[in-house]
Amino acid sequence: MAKRNPKRQSDYIILSIDTSCDETAAAITVGQRVLSNVIWSQIDVHRPWGGVVPDLARKEHQKHLGEVIQLAIARANANSKRFQLPWRINWDTIDAIAVTQGPGLAIALEVGIKKAKKLAQKYHRPLIAINHMEGHLLSSLARNSKSQIPNSKTEPSIKKMPTLGLLVSGGHTQLVLVKKIGDYQLLGETLDDAAGEAFDKVAKMLDLGYPGGPIIEELAHQGNPRRFQLPVPMARDPSLNFSFSGLKTACLYKLRAIPKKEKDRQFLADFAASFQATLTKAITIKLKKALEMHHPEQIFLGGGVINNLYLRQQIRSVARKYNIPVFTPYSRNLISDNAAMIGIAAFYKALRKEFVQNISSLDRNPNLNFSA
Ligand code: KG4
Ligand code: ZN
């Protein structure tokens, strides 16, 4: 197959790696195009413990990362053939390696970083260190191998600034102002638990299993969101911060006060719906505030909790009142933790020539964050 010559910037090929939490992930991106996005989920390993066990996560990453990278390259090649792209993906054509530096579990991050450094040194490729949350933030910009954003009438634009990012995951709940790609301001974040964590903990109280978010969403379909009155956290607080631990405690007290025999399936559905509606309200109140304060041109959503369709609908309904378009990643595999989003963030860093200067000294940063 033809080698890329002369090389266009938009043809920049990146192998990206994310081992920040409980997914072992590797991807191949060509510019903004996702050629492959392999995610080895560890959920079954952690489920018996009701949450992520860091040492188990580290061991699983060590066991599977090599294989996941091979698979990412193989699938990218299958895709490039299918879409008649003019490249083979191999160590002659991969231009750079990207890896999540943080935030995340220290001993899990370490596995990906060590592997990325080794590959960068072995194949003499530049290394790009990525903030996992910047990956979630830019995940709406991903395009498929045909360079399309499926099922989207309009397209996100890197020229429409400022853009507001709303990131809702198991570890984070953040509002981020994008002044331009690479220039971010943290407007607000959770002061305690993340929204996904609250979903998981309330699901645990209801004995629903792990991870709780998708189970609560499913149950809530048949539930009455007005049956239980729960406090909307930070509703009157003027900042753009969030807090979910009070809501979690309110759920605990409410559940303790109700006799076990009354906790039938309808009860569970009503409780799930009431909790989901209250948490969503807490998020949309702050979103509305952020829109009024910062007048963004568009909104980018990211993070696992964005899978929740009720939350998305409510976000869209707020944004519609302000006439602001909302964008989500085109596939579920780009919403939850994945490496393709790391590749997208890395592509823009490569355009800015922000490479790791001293590869051997790159270290994990479990608390990496946007600056306020
Ligand atoms: O972004 P993510 O995959 O990993 C982190 O970086 O944390 O997010 C995982 C979180 C979990 O807390 C999970 O319960 C939640 O996202 N989640 C959901 C849904 N799907 C996943 N929460 C609510 N509704 C969903 N449908
Ligand atoms: Zn994440």
Side-chain angles (χ1 to χ4, degrees), residues 132 136 169-171 196-197 199-200 211-214 217 303-305 307-308 336-337:
H132 177 86
H136 279 303
S169 74
E197 209 176 338
F199 266 103
D200 295 338
E217 178 176 19
V305 185
N307 279 305
N308 188 295
S336 295
D337 283 352

Side-chain angles (χ1 to χ4, degrees), residues 20-23 132-133 136 168-172 195-197 199-200 211-215 217 276 303-309 332 335-337:
S20 58
C21 192
D22 60 341
E23 325 275 0
H132 177 86
M133 299 312 291
H136 279 303
V168 197
S169 74
H172 293 80
E197 209 176 338
F199 266 103
D200 295 338
I215 309 174
E217 178 176 19
Q276 180 178 267
V305 185
I306 293 300
N307 279 305
N308 188 295
L309 292 180
R332 285 177 92 87
I335 293 180
S336 295
D337 283 352

